[in-house]
Amino acid sequence: MSTRLVVTGAGVVLSGDMAAPIVRDADTVVCDGEVITAVGPREELADEIASADQVLDANGSTVAPGLIDSHCHVVLGDYTPRQKTVDFLASYVHGGITSVVSPGEIHAPGRPHDAIGVKALAIAARACFENFRPGGMRVHAGAVVLEPTLQPSDFADLQRAGVRLAKFGFGRYENPSDGVAQVRWAQEHGITVMCHSGGASIPGSKPITPDHLLELAPDVCGHVNGGPTSLPDAGVDLIIEQTSMALQLVQAGNLRSAVRIARKALDEGRFDRVVIGSDTPTGTGVMPLGVIKTVAELSSLTGIDPALIWAAATGNNARTWGLPSGFLRAGASADLVVMDAPWGSTAGDALGALRIGDIPGISAVVSAGVVRALLSRNTPRAARLAAAIPSIAHLDGAH
């Protein structure tokens, strides 16, 4: 039998949907099992609250969809060979990240380049993380790294195995333009292709220019603000204006470029293409607060509504990759965070904190309808704390 969790008493509920980023007149989220079944005012959901197995009181703070890190370098298990760190994914949950998307398991020691090995790594990574949720997060792994050895039949094999992700930029191509065929074959088999952009990031990668990107036409321009070296402004403008690629902004990139891209995308009505990730672990390190830090930076430096920036890190990511989470609405995965202005901030709530560049304090993380943390071990302490409520009578007395 599924368990019902209700989070109520919110001062603000973020939807994750940039078209309407705040759920008006809502203070309660109902989760049955792994799925959200209702979002609305407490008085309309009294029966759901009364029958809940567990109730969290948000105590007037903000409830939002869990963050999605759309560029997280997983390999196998909760370990990063790049930084020799264990349990980093479980730590990212304490940064409000309830899902991550792999941009290719490129940090696997001895990573293969032959067709059989490339397919095997992607299929194995996907299958392993289907059965493993570190810290409760959902890991969308198994991104095949495109190589010149891959033929159409290989993409048919990958499609049958459930692989839906691909990465271009680390294969053994003499010239990035030589990868057009593999990008097209991947897309024809229902695989979303993310492409490296900008300068070389690690030994084995090559710079990928705006001209290369226009030829390759991937679905996602990975770290369009640099990973870490940014593209020239004129080249970025070509990608924004002449393609439909998702525009991925990452923590491990160029902040000046990210601010410019976000502002331009909003001004030109293209903000639905903006997605956010961390691009960690890399040389930048392991960053449990990588995504929420990017949200705070963009919110404070662009003048864009923080609720919109949060949507770029949740609902926009979900739409781009076809993920089940990222929204607070009926039918979405029950992944959410409760947060508030950090203790000592001059802001009065989480959105106000983001607006001035403060990282909110997270007081609860829920994924798949299960409370994974009460009090983040990585963010500052929230001014107002979520609390488990022992009974409906207690809740009535509290409000």
Side-chain angles (χ1 to χ4, degrees):
M1 294 182 64
S2 64
T3 299
R4 171 168 288 174
L5 167 70
V6 173
V7 181
T8 191
V12 176
V13 175
L14 302 185
S15 69
D17 185 350
M18 59 164 284
I22 294 177
V23 186
R24 301 297 176 185
D25 301 320
D27 61 4
T28 299
V29 180
V30 180
C31 309
D32 284 303
E34 297 190 7
V35 178
I36 295 170
T37 52
V39 179
R42 182 182 158 212
E43 57 269 21
E44 294 181 8
L45 299 170
D47 291 343
E48 286 82 351
I49 297 172
S51 62
D53 299 286
Q54 185 175 14
V55 178
L56 288 184
D57 182 3
N59 194 26
S61 55
T62 298
V63 178
L67 295 164
I68 299 171
D69 185 346
S70 64
H71 199 120
C72 182
H73 283 286
V74 301
V75 182
L76 290 173
D78 197 354
Y79 172 70
T80 167
R82 186 71 193 277
Q83 292 296 342
K84 296 180 172 58
T85 303
V86 297
D87 296 338
F88 79 98
L89 290 170
S91 193
Y92 278 36
V93 173
H94 283 257
I97 297 169
T98 52
S99 297
V100 301
V101 178
S102 171
E105 288 71 31
I106 59 172
H107 295 161
R111 178 172 61 85
H113 296 271
D114 63 294
I116 292 175
V118 164
K119 290 191 295 182
L121 179 59
I123 292 168
R126 177 193 171 277
C128 286
F129 279 110
E130 282 289 302
N131 301 307
F132 176 48
R133 291 191 176 183
M137 76 155 52
R138 182 182 282 103
V139 178
H140 301 279
V144 60
V145 179
L146 299 186
E147 295 278 0
T149 53
L150 292 167
Q151 299 300 310
S153 60
D154 296 311
F155 292 99
D157 292 341
L158 289 163
Q159 185 179 39
R160 281 192 294 270
V163 171
R164 299 173 55 246
L165 306 171
K167 178 68 179 289
F168 184 88
F170 294 86
R172 290 182 171 175
Y173 294 92
E174 288 297 319
N175 185 309
S177 297
D178 297 338
V180 170
Q182 279 78 25
V183 172
R184 294 295 168 275
W185 292 333
Q187 292 168 330
E188 289 166 6
H189 287 85
I191 296 173
T192 300
V193 181
M194 185 193 306
C195 185
H196 178 92
S197 68
S201 59
I202 61 172
S205 69
K206 296 178 180 178
I208 294 184
T209 68
D211 287 340
H212 290 140
L213 288 157
L214 292 175
E215 277 190 274
L216 291 163
D219 301 289
V220 180
C221 183
H223 45 64
V224 66
N225 66 312
T229 306
S230 65
L231 293 165
D233 288 351
V236 170
D237 290 349
L238 283 177
I239 294 165
I240 295 173
E241 295 166 7
Q242 297 187 16
T243 81
S244 59
M245 297 176 206
L247 308 168
Q248 187 182 64
L249 305 178
V250 300
Q251 175 61 210
N254 182 307
L255 179 57
R256 186 204 69 86
S257 181
V259 168
R260 179 181 176 276
I261 292 164
R263 188 69 257 177
K264 178 179 173 66
L266 183 68
D267 290 346
E268 298 181 3
R270 309 177 200 264
F271 197 77
D272 60 310
R273 291 166 54 195
V274 174
V275 295
I276 291 176
S278 71
D279 192 8
T280 65
T282 54
T284 302
V286 170
M287 293 187 68
L289 303 184
V291 176
I292 201 168
K293 186 173 187 293
T294 299
V295 172
E297 289 168 348
L298 293 178
S299 297
S300 61
L301 297 175
T302 64
I304 298 173
D305 181 353
L308 274 180
I309 302 292
W310 197 274
T314 55
N316 284 9
N317 278 335
R319 276 194 295 263
T320 298
W321 279 274
L323 307 181
S325 55
F327 299 98
L328 289 193
R329 64 188 184 197
S333 291
D335 297 349
L336 58 90
V337 298
V338 182
M339 60 184 178
D340 197 24
W343 206 8
S345 174
T346 58
D349 61 13
L351 292 180
L354 291 168
R355 195 170 285 112
I356 63 173
D358 286 343
I359 292 174
I362 292 175
S363 65
V365 180
V366 174
S367 70
V370 176
V371 178
R372 308 295 180 177
L374 282 173
L375 277 183
S376 165
R377 67 171 182 256
N378 292 323
T379 68
R381 182 191 184 278
R384 291 171 290 189
L385 301 176
I389 301 301
S391 70
I392 186 65
H394 184 97
L395 183 65
D396 289 338
H399 294 282

